[in-house]
């Protein structure tokens, strides 16, 4: 596995791979890898000849007072896991190399980014969309793989690719869960043992939504109320949002007759967890 730490070297390596006729699969990450990331590597490998994985804790997608400083980092661990997973190129740039001190250009998605996570993290998607655009320009992927746990992110990235004509296919990989149902996240290590137990309320709230939908309930307010109740049972949990939105437009819906995204963000002290499920009318 080749390790690249400068943007220019990455771009040259990607250009050389492309000139050699090789299809590049790309998995962007912020590191502290877990089974979820490794499952995305598998998908990328299936669709490409070489897999590039980026490790970059992107400061511009964290707002003031968020957990940038506490975001878990362990390069050596990530290097070993990447190598074992069959990553061909590990791209791990420094922040100073990624952003000029006087950087003044950003990429903004103006519609899908407004609600859900964007409502409580108003600069988050500007940071994500900008860094993903930069990473696409550096890694030149034919296919890029994103996890479905970040439901809003993947929809925003698809919009970025559509609207700015990036020549890359976006593929999503299913959320990978711990045996007890908690969605895998690099942030889970920051939970105390008590918070870790109570964090199961995210999955429980989604289970309630799915059970209600299966039983024929289509009233979004009633489904939401049941989810709120599931999270509110846990004293260490603070609801950031619980939303029921159209799966495509991400606009709030009153009824779940069309494919609907049920998404929630819950805080445990400074650790904010997200999860989601898609309710289909036939389910
Ligand atoms: O999903 C993430 O880990 C990040 O938002 C991403 C896509 C790597 C951009 O920094």
């Amino acid at each position: 596995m080749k390790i690249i730490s400068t943007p220019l070297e990455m771009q040259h390596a990607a250009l050389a791979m492309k000139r050699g006729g090789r299809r590049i699969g790309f998995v962007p990450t912020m590191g502290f890898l877990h089974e979820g990331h490794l499952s995305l590597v598998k998908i990328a490998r299936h669709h490409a000849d070489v897999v590039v994985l980026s490790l970059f804790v992107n400061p511009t997608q964290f707002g003031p007072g968020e957990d940038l400083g506490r975001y878990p980092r362990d390069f050596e661990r990530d290097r070993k896991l990447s190598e074992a997973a069959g990553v061909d190129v590990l791209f791990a740039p420094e922040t100073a190399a990624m952003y000029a001190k006087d950087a003044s250009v950003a990429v903004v998605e103006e519609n899908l980014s407004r609600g859900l996570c964007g409502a409580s993290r108003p600069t988050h998607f500007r940071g994500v969309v900008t860094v993903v655009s930069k990473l696409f320009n550096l890694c030149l992927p034919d296919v890029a793989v994103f996890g479905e746990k970040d439901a809003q992110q993947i929809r925003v990235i698809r919009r970025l690719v559509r609207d700015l004509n990036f020549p890359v296919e976006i593929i999503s990989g299913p959320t990978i869960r711990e045996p007890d149902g908690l969605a895998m996240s690099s942030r889970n290590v920051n939970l105390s043992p008590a918070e870790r137990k109570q964090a199961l309320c995210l999955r429980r709230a989604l289970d309630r939504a799915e059970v209600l939908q299966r039983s024929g309930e289509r009233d979004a307010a009633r489904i939401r109320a049941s989810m709120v109740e599931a999270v509110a049972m846990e004293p260490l949990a603070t609801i950031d949002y619980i939303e029921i939105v159209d799966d495509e437009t991400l606009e709030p819906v009153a009824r779940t007759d069309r494919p609907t995204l049920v998404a929630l963000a819950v805080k445990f002290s400074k650790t904010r967890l997200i999860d989601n499920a898609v309710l289909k009318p036939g389910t």
Side-chain angles (χ1 to χ4, degrees):
M1 182 179 73
K2 193 174 165 67
I3 299 177
I4 296 182
S5 57
T6 72
L8 203 60
E9 197 192 334
M10 182 65 241
Q11 204 173 43
H12 286 160
L15 277 170
M17 291 189 278
K18 286 196 101 69
R19 285 192 191 117
R22 310 185 77 190
R23 241 175 102 73
I24 300 177
F26 178 48
V27 180
T29 83
M30 297 209 298
F32 214 73
L33 304 179
H34 51 67
E35 286 300 321
H37 297 114
L38 303 179
S39 72
L40 304 182
V41 170
K42 248 191 211 152
I43 297 174
R45 172 142 301 293
H46 184 74
H47 289 270
D49 303 311
V50 283
V51 176
V52 177
L53 181 139
S54 64
L55 277 185
F56 180 59
V57 183
N58 172 39
T60 68
Q61 67 190 73
F62 291 80
E66 291 185 3
D67 60 348
L68 174 61
R70 297 174 69 237
Y71 200 85
R73 293 166 167 86
D74 188 339
F75 177 77
E76 205 33 43
R77 179 179 172 279
D78 287 342
R79 187 191 65 72
K80 284 191 190 131
L81 286 171
S82 302
E83 186 142 41
V87 168
D88 299 287
V89 178
L90 183 63
F91 176 44
E94 295 293 332
T95 302
M98 282 294 278
Y99 293 105
K101 270 206 178 95
D102 59 349
S104 54
V105 176
V107 188
V108 182
E109 193 288 322
E110 293 188 316
N111 184 345
L112 302 175
S113 323
R114 280 192 310 225
L116 305 176
C117 291
S120 44
R121 307 183 72 192
T123 56
H124 172 67
F125 284 109
R126 173 190 166 104
V128 170
V129 172
T130 302
V131 82
V132 168
S133 302
K134 287 165 71 70
L135 289 167
F136 284 172
N137 284 333
L138 296 172
C139 302
L140 307 177
D142 295 282
V143 51
V145 193
F146 292 80
E148 281 163 16
K149 180 171 72 68
D150 295 283
Q152 186 177 16
Q153 170 170 279
I154 191 153
R155 286 157 180 77
V156 168
I157 298 298
R158 286 191 198 282
R159 185 61 64 90
L160 161 75
V161 164
R162 187 197 76 179
D163 287 357
L164 294 192
N165 306 97
F166 277 100
V168 55
E169 181 190 352
I170 302 299
I171 298 185
S172 66
T175 302
I176 305 295
R177 298 180 180 280
E178 300 289 352
D180 63 4
L182 180 68
M184 289 197 184
S185 162
S186 305
R187 288 184 164 99
N188 290 351
V189 295
N190 286 336
L191 296 168
S192 70
E195 289 171 338
R196 171 66 183 77
K197 264 193 201 149
Q198 295 187 24
L200 290 182
C201 66
L202 281 93
R203 183 60 254 178
R204 270 191 225 118
L206 293 170
D207 286 344
R208 282 187 173 208
E210 285 172 340
V211 168
L212 282 168
Q213 175 81 3
R214 272 200 299 275
S215 74
E217 181 62 82
R218 295 291 183 268
D219 184 283
R222 278 205 285 269
I223 295 174
R224 185 177 179 281
S226 173
M227 295 176 71
V228 168
E229 192 185 68
V231 177
M233 276 174 194
E234 302 298 355
L236 300 175
T238 307
I239 295 173
D240 181 3
Y241 69 78
I242 296 182
E243 297 271 0
I244 302 187
V245 298
D246 183 273
D247 189 37
E248 223 177 277
T249 64
L250 302 188
E251 293 293 333
V253 293
R255 294 189 52 79
T256 62
D257 302 310
R258 282 170 41 80
T260 304
L261 176 71
V262 178
L264 73 169
V266 177
K267 274 182 151 171
F268 293 88
S269 175
K270 278 208 174 325
T271 306
R272 184 175 172 281
L273 302 181
I274 57 173
D275 205 344
N276 69 85
V278 176
L279 304 181
K280 301 255 167 64
T283 55

